[in-house]
């Protein structure tokens, strides 16, 4: 690297890539190869959505050769629960289960075969109880509470209730000339990570307590989620996460679910224990993207400018709290990147008797943006305006405010506009499409998004340990995890640039609760910005100390010195130079610390005293536009995505390769969500139990994905970067739906748009009157839910 070059913005190969494709990378299950001292755990559950437990007979299970422990609730010290965020899950159900996820017995055995045999011999007598999986019924007055321990209040099944209100709705109504209303429904979705959920717990003979090895998105959060159930202080729980074979939010909770089984049995037996879920268990018992039911009402004036927006969303929570910021984040983002003078938004999550909803790429924003961006297209077509022009007319401008009163900057306004224009240009928006085949209809669609980096809560922060080694290399230790997003590479580039060392001399240590400072989860598109800023802050302090040492060595002014490629030299007299290695050696004998903690805190957010969420929430926003061309075969209802073009304002791409990878991955997941992915419930239980039944996109379902990087330079991100992990999934589903509307004249309000649903829509449209088809045919949902 020459003096004028930068590590930022360069394409570097991820250091974990070769080991992954060659099979040398070690995932959690690989750590057990060759070990014969590890007990295998299995869990007994009841195939019932809700039941009263009458008796549990473990006698025959305990007789199985190789069985070391069989535990029920009666064997535990007390009824302490566990859980990520809120400890509301029973370790072992005692009297009643409120969903089929609840375990009733644990088994630990020398072999998997023995554990399976024992768990199948556990006899459970129970009475099935009435259950409810419909959140709307659970909102009715007098509805039985799913979580009876919370006691009675206004609506006993509400988990979270969030309002966003701004402006006067009456004034907005007086200016409105056209108003549309639409209901939307999105499905429960499985993360479908390739790696099965697993936790390996081992007694710590030196420090006491337990060490866990498991794929997890928050090593410190896991130990906090387990401490009460294990009756251990967090200091006696060490969590180490090897490489993760797919997370997408799911491994925030599933790691804790697996960890409590392995941990309890390890403490009971004094031996190492592993619990690895089967694929069926993953489908049935781990967190899902919430089902959602969303209503929008949007008004415009005579010029096509939005006057007001009313929205309400219901998220099906399932039986446990898990990650429940979904109503909060989705409500804040319900106005998207648009200027809306008056809004009234209410989002709620509701407890029901089935597997719980948790974090899944976007934290409620995908559901909300699906509804919003479909409504935007409906309005554009209703008033006869081009969908892109309608969006451009209503986009945020410099100085304008979001629906939660955060003021937008010049870069905010420029970034989203450039994204839209890039997509319009690439899709040749105004050029007619080939529709020569009478049975295959083609159309274009677009959707826009904005997404805040970080959790939006004051406690959010970035922390990192830095140490300069005697060989001149730099150790960077952080608690975040590499899940395939390229975190190691990005942190290496940021550290190399900030410290002035060669990138080959940066060593990144990740995901060990004992070696990295607590810095929150690898989620909310926060890791690069928060940890990157912490690295820069730490390097600034460390760099100042080492330059003072070098100044003494070179007899120069420290302010005139700089570090490049692991060399320290004077900018005024370049011949005056010394290696970073030698400066580090001098620092060591001069009692100058070579270690530093780097910290970064975003601007403090203030709580709105009226509880209407009118305050600055995020330090920076990613923006984007996703455009597609689809083909709809009217003979069988098949939708094919022919082109996918996504432009995302990433602030600054630290590594364009990994940024494009995030964009491609988000687009592919969005295609699956829009067209095929859905978990169905049968008697309160998830029906799908394998990847044969649950469809996700393959290479044949995804076109060549076109990802365009737009850079607007965030003022608060490291070297201008923004978080891009989640926002890239937001635009795909509504863009596909809007393209189907463009192709067929069918406005659909439910995803996935399967061939069956498309054919039913086409049949309904054929029977509709001419008036019902103008300006397009609104496909009725199969059943109403708001009334």
């Amino acid at each position: 690297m020459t003096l004028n070059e930068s590590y930022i913005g360069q394409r570097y190969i991820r250091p974990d890539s070769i080991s992954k494709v060659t099979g040398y990378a070690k995932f959690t299950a690989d750590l057990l190869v060759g070990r014969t001292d590890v007990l295998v755990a299995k869990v007994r559950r009841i195939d019932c959505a809700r039941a009263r437990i009458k008796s549990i007979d473990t006698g025959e299970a305990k007789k199985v050769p190789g069985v070391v422990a069989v535990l029920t609730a009666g064997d535990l010290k007390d009824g302490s629960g566990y859980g990520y965020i809120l400890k509301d899950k029973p370790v072992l159900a005692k009297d009643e289960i409120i969903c089929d996820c609840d375990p009733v017995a644990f088994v630990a055995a020398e072999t998997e075969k023995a554990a399976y045999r024992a768990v199948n011999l556990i006899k459970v007598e129970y009475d099935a109880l009435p259950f409810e999986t419909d959140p709307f019924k659970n909102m009715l007055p007098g509805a039985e509470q799913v979580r009876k321990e919370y006691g009675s209040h206004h609506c006993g099944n509400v988990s979270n209730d969030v309002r966003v209100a701004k402006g006067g709705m009456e004034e907005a109504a007086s200016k409105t000339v056209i108003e549309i209303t639409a209901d939307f429904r999105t499905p429960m979705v499985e993360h479908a990570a390739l790696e099965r959920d697993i936790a390996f717990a081992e007694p710590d003979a030196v420090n006491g307590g337990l060490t866990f090895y498991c794929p997890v998105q928050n090593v410190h959060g896991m130990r906090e989620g387990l401490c009460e159930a294990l009756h251990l202080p967090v200091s006696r729980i060490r969590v180490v996460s090897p490489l993760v074979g797919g997370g997408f939010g799911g491994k925030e909770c599933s790691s804790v679910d697996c960890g409590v089984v392995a941990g309890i049995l390890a403490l009971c037996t004094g031996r190492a224990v592993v619990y690895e879920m089967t694929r069926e268990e993953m489908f049935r018992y781990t967190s899902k993207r919430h089902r959602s039911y969303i209503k929008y009402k949007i008004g415009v004036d005579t010029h096509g400018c939005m006057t007001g927006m009313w929205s309400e969303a219901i998220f099906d929570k399932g039986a446990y709290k898990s990650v429940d910021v979904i109503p909060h984040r989705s409500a804040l983002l319900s106005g998207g990147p648009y200027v809306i003078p008056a809004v009234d938004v209410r989002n709620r999550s509701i407890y029901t008797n089935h597997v719980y909803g948790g974090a899944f790429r976007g934290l409620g924003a995908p559901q909300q943006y699906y509804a919003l961006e479909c409504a935007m297209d409906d309005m554009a077509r209703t008033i006869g305006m081009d969908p892109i022009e309608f969006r451009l007319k209503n986009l945020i401008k410099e100085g304008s405010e979001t629906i939660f009163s955060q003021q937008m900057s010049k870069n905010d306004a420029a970034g989203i506009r450039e994204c839209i224009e890039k997509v319009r240009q690439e899709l040749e928006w105004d050029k007619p499409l080939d529709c020569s085949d009478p049975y295959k209809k083609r159309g274009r669609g677009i959707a826009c998004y904005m997404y805040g980096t970080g959790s939006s809560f004051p406690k959010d922060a970035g922390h990192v340990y830095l140490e300069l080694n005697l060989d001149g290399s730099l150790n960077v230790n952080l608690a975040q995890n590499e899940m395939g997003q390229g975190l190691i590479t990005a942190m290496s580039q940021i550290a190399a640039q900030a410290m002035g060392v060669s990138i080959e001399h940066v060593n990144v240590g990740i995901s060990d609760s004992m070696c990295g400072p607590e810095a929150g989860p690898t989620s909310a598109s926060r890791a690069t910005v928060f940890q990157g800023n912490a690295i820069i802050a730490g390097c600034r302090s460390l760099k100042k100390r080492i330059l003072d040492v070098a100044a003494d060595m070179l007899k120069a002014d420290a302010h005139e010195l700089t570090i490049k490629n692991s060399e320290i030299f004077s900018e005024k007299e370049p011949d005056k130079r010394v290696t970073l290695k030698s400066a580090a050696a001098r620092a060591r004998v001069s009692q100058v610390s070579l270690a530093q903690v780097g910290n970064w805190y975003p601007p403090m957010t203030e709580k709105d005293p009226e509880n209407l969420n009118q305050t600055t929430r995020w330090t920076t926003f990613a923006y984007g536009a996703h455009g597609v061309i689809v083909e709809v075969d009217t003979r069988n209802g098949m939708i094919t995505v022919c082109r996918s073009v996504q432009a995302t304002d990433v602030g600054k791409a630290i590594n364009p390769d990994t940024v494009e990878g995030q964009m491609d991955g988000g687009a592919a997941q969005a295609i699956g969500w829009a067209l095929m992915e859905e978990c169905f419930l049968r008697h309160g239980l998830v029906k799908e139990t394998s990847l044969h039944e649950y469809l996700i996109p393959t290479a044949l379902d995804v076109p060549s994905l076109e990802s365009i990087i737009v850079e607007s330079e965030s003022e608060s991100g490291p070297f201008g970067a923004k978080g891009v992990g989640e926002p890239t999934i937001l635009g795909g589903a509504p863009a596909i739906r809007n393209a189907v509307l463009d192709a067929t004249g069918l406005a659909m309000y439910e995803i996935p748009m399967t061939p069956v649903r498309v054919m039913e829509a086409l049949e309904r449209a054929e029977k509709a009157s001419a008036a019902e088809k103008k300006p397009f045919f609104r496909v009725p949902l199969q059943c109403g839910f708001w009334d």
Side-chain angles (χ1 to χ4, degrees):
M1 185 180 78
T2 65
L3 296 185
N4 295 322
E5 287 181 339
S6 171
Y7 289 114
I8 305 303
Q10 302 301 313
R11 296 179 183 269
Y12 287 96
I13 297 174
R14 284 169 33 192
D16 56 321
S17 58
I18 295 176
S19 64
K20 284 180 176 178
V21 299
T22 57
Y24 283 97
K26 299 299 180 189
F27 295 86
T28 302
D30 298 319
L31 303 179
L32 302 170
V33 175
R35 290 193 60 165
T36 59
D37 61 323
V38 180
L39 298 176
V40 177
K42 294 298 173 186
V43 176
R44 177 73 160 91
R45 296 181 177 89
I46 304 172
D47 287 338
C48 189
R50 182 173 170 234
R52 180 179 295 109
I53 301 170
K54 297 169 68 175
S55 66
I56 304 175
D57 183 355
T58 61
E60 292 301 313
K62 291 177 178 178
K63 296 176 184 178
V64 175
V67 169
V68 178
V70 181
L71 301 180
T72 63
D75 299 307
L76 304 181
K77 288 183 180 180
D78 57 30
S80 296
Y82 78 97
Y84 187 70
I85 307 297
L86 183 69
K87 300 175 181 66
D88 63 341
K89 297 178 184 177
V91 176
L92 285 165
K94 185 176 182 181
D95 301 314
E96 184 178 321
I97 66 166
I98 60 173
C99 74
D100 68 321
C101 307
D102 294 342
V104 297
F106 296 158
V107 170
E110 300 285 357
T111 65
E112 187 172 48
K113 183 177 180 181
Y116 267 128
R117 185 180 175 195
V119 85
N120 289 327
L121 287 173
I122 297 173
K123 298 175 183 177
V124 183
E125 274 194 76
Y126 63 91
D127 291 328
L129 297 175
F131 64 90
E132 187 54 70
T133 60
D134 186 335
F136 288 92
K137 291 182 179 178
N138 271 0
M139 292 169 61
L140 295 174
E144 186 172 2
Q145 282 187 267
V146 174
R147 309 301 305 281
K148 293 183 175 60
E149 69 272 27
Y150 292 162
S152 300
H153 51 83
H154 176 63
C155 184
N157 286 313
V158 175
S159 174
N160 199 356
D161 190 343
V162 179
R163 289 285 310 282
V164 176
K166 178 184 178 184
M169 294 302 290
E170 291 185 6
E171 183 182 353
S174 68
K175 297 179 180 179
T176 299
V177 296
I178 295 179
E179 183 178 84
I180 64 163
T181 303
D183 296 343
F184 301 89
R185 182 160 51 197
T186 70
M188 185 188 303
V189 179
E190 162 66 20
H191 297 85
L194 183 61
E195 180 187 27
R196 288 186 287 154
D197 294 308
I198 182 175
F200 167 36
E202 192 163 29
D204 189 331
V206 176
N207 298 309
L210 294 173
T211 296
F212 288 87
Y213 300 90
C214 64
V216 56
Q217 292 180 233
N218 187 350
V219 289
H220 290 92
M222 178 175 173
R223 65 179 191 170
E224 291 164 8
L226 293 175
C227 62
E228 291 183 16
L230 300 178
H231 298 281
L232 291 172
V234 292
S235 59
R236 290 292 180 266
I237 301 173
R238 181 185 180 189
V239 179
V240 180
S241 179
L243 295 174
V244 178
F248 317 117
K251 285 187 168 68
E252 285 191 297
C253 291
S254 62
S255 57
V256 186
D257 293 337
C258 291
V260 75
V261 179
I264 290 289
L265 288 169
L267 290 174
C268 173
T269 62
R271 293 178 58 179
V273 178
V274 63
Y275 174 52
E276 183 175 18
M277 286 190 171
T278 64
R279 185 66 63 177
E280 178 178 353
E281 287 178 307
M282 288 178 62
F283 270 99
R284 291 186 58 179
Y285 309 131
T286 62
S287 68
K288 304 288 179 280
R289 188 191 297 282
H290 298 66
R291 287 194 296 188
S292 77
Y293 308 84
I294 303 174
K295 179 186 283 288
Y296 264 97
K297 183 188 295 182
I298 295 176
V300 297
D301 61 18
T302 54
H303 303 292
C305 295
M306 296 173 72
T307 55
M309 179 196 83
W310 175 90
S311 175
E312 186 172 358
I314 299 298
F315 294 93
D316 187 355
K317 176 100 282 290
Y320 294 105
K321 192 82 170 178
S322 179
V323 179
D324 201 25
V325 297
I326 276 71
H328 178 266
R329 181 167 292 233
S330 59
L332 291 172
L333 295 173
S334 61
Y338 305 111
V339 176
I340 311 175
V343 296
D344 186 357
V345 179
R346 187 182 187 186
N347 286 10
R348 286 170 284 179
S349 54
I350 309 298
Y351 286 118
T352 50
N353 294 110
H354 63 73
V355 63
Y356 64 95
F360 192 159
R361 199 173 197 165
L363 294 167
Q367 297 97 310
Q368 196 77 48
Y369 272 114
Y370 167 71
L372 170 64
E373 286 298 307
C374 291
M376 292 293 287
D377 245 56
D378 283 7
M379 177 59 86
R381 294 173 188 278
T382 298
I383 65 177
M385 187 178 290
D386 177 83
I388 285 183
E389 293 302 326
F390 179 62
R391 287 173 169 84
L392 289 171
K393 177 178 280 291
N394 288 283
L395 274 183
I396 56 172
K397 304 174 181 65
E398 182 181 0
S400 63
E401 292 183 346
T402 65
I403 66 169
F404 47 92
S405 296
Q406 183 162 341
Q407 195 170 75
M408 297 288 96
S409 71
K410 179 180 179 180
N411 287 1
D412 290 312
I416 180 61
R417 279 174 169 74
E418 185 175 350
C419 290
I420 294 173
E421 294 298 345
K422 293 281 188 184
V423 170
R424 169 152 58 181
Q425 179 181 345
E426 288 300 315
L427 287 183
E428 299 178 300
W429 187 261
D430 298 318
K431 183 178 179 179
L433 292 169
D434 177 17
C435 295
S436 56
D437 190 324
Y439 298 107
K440 294 182 178 180
K441 308 296 183 182
R442 287 191 161 215
R444 294 184 184 89
I446 194 171
C448 301
Y449 54 83
M450 64 181 284
Y451 195 79
T453 296
S455 72
S456 82
F457 294 106
K459 68 176 183 178
D460 217 0
H463 307 288
V464 62
Y465 292 150
L466 300 171
E467 183 177 10
L468 190 61
N469 298 309
L470 288 179
D471 62 1
S473 64
L474 180 69
N475 290 347
V476 179
N477 290 306
L478 50 122
Q480 265 61 46
N481 209 334
E482 175 60 72
M483 300 189 294
Q485 80 276 38
L487 180 74
I488 297 175
T489 315
M491 296 300 100
S492 297
Q493 290 175 256
I494 290 172
Q497 187 70 25
M499 192 65 198
V501 301
S502 300
I503 195 168
E504 296 83 4
H505 296 162
V506 177
N507 312 301
V508 178
I510 57 172
S511 304
D512 185 333
S513 64
M514 186 171 284
C515 301
E518 195 283 325
T522 308
S523 64
S525 302
R526 61 185 296 281
T528 296
V529 171
F530 282 66
Q531 296 305 91
N533 277 333
I535 289 172
I536 292 172
C539 285
R540 187 180 298 121
S541 298
L542 188 56
K543 194 173 183 178
K544 183 180 183 303
R545 288 203 298 273
I546 206 70
L547 287 179
D548 286 340
V549 172
D552 184 61
M553 295 172 70
L554 295 172
K555 306 304 180 187
D557 187 339
H559 295 94
E560 298 175 1
L561 301 182
T562 190
I563 308 176
K564 291 283 187 181
N565 289 333
S566 299
E567 277 198 319
I568 304 172
F569 59 91
S570 169
E571 292 181 327
K572 285 188 174 181
E573 301 177 76
D575 290 338
K576 280 189 174 183
R577 60 180 59 224
V578 65
T579 64
L580 188 58
K581 177 181 177 180
S582 59
R586 173 67 70 89
R588 172 69 64 87
V589 300
S590 303
Q591 298 185 348
V592 175
S593 175
L594 295 176
Q596 178 68 39
V597 177
N599 303 295
W600 184 76
Y601 298 89
M604 181 69 75
T605 57
E606 297 179 3
K607 184 175 176 60
D608 178 4
E610 297 184 9
N611 207 30
L612 297 177
N613 284 290
Q614 294 302 302
T615 181
T616 295
R617 300 304 313 194
W618 283 287
T619 180
T620 188
F621 295 90
Y623 297 92
H626 198 153
V628 298
I629 296 175
V630 304
E631 184 177 81
V632 183
D633 193 325
T634 57
R635 296 166 297 184
N636 56 26
M638 288 291 295
I639 298 172
T640 301
V641 180
C642 305
R643 284 192 71 186
S644 167
V645 179
Q646 181 169 200
T648 304
D649 171 16
V650 305
K652 177 65 178 179
I654 302 297
N655 185 334
D657 276 349
T658 55
V659 169
E660 289 165 355
Q662 289 283 55
M663 295 173 70
D664 290 349
Q669 278 190 317
I671 290 171
W673 192 47
L675 299 180
M676 61 188 71
E677 295 189 46
E678 182 170 12
C679 285
F680 293 92
L681 294 174
R682 178 189 290 164
H683 307 302
L685 316 183
V686 174
K687 178 182 173 184
E688 293 75 26
T689 59
S690 73
L691 291 170
H692 293 290
E693 300 167 276
Y694 184 87
L695 300 180
I696 60 175
T698 68
L700 298 178
D701 302 303
V702 178
S704 177
L705 301 171
E706 302 166 61
S707 297
I708 302 170
I709 294 174
V710 172
E711 297 179 314
S712 68
E713 297 287 345
S714 166
E715 294 180 0
S716 58
F719 301 110
K722 300 177 178 181
V724 297
E726 293 168 290
T728 57
I729 195 177
L730 301 178
I736 293 170
R737 178 269 190 186
N738 292 338
V740 171
L741 170 58
D742 185 52
T744 64
L746 300 175
M748 300 184 71
Y749 298 93
E750 180 175 17
I751 52 175
M753 294 178 288
T754 61
V756 171
R757 286 181 178 145
V758 173
M759 290 306 295
E760 289 175 350
L762 288 168
E763 290 171 7
R764 282 176 176 265
E766 283 183 12
K767 298 174 183 178
S769 65
E772 290 175 314
K773 295 180 182 179
K774 291 183 180 179
F776 48 82
F777 179 67
R778 296 174 173 269
V779 181
L781 288 168
Q782 292 180 353
C783 59
F785 40 86
W786 289 100
D787 299 329

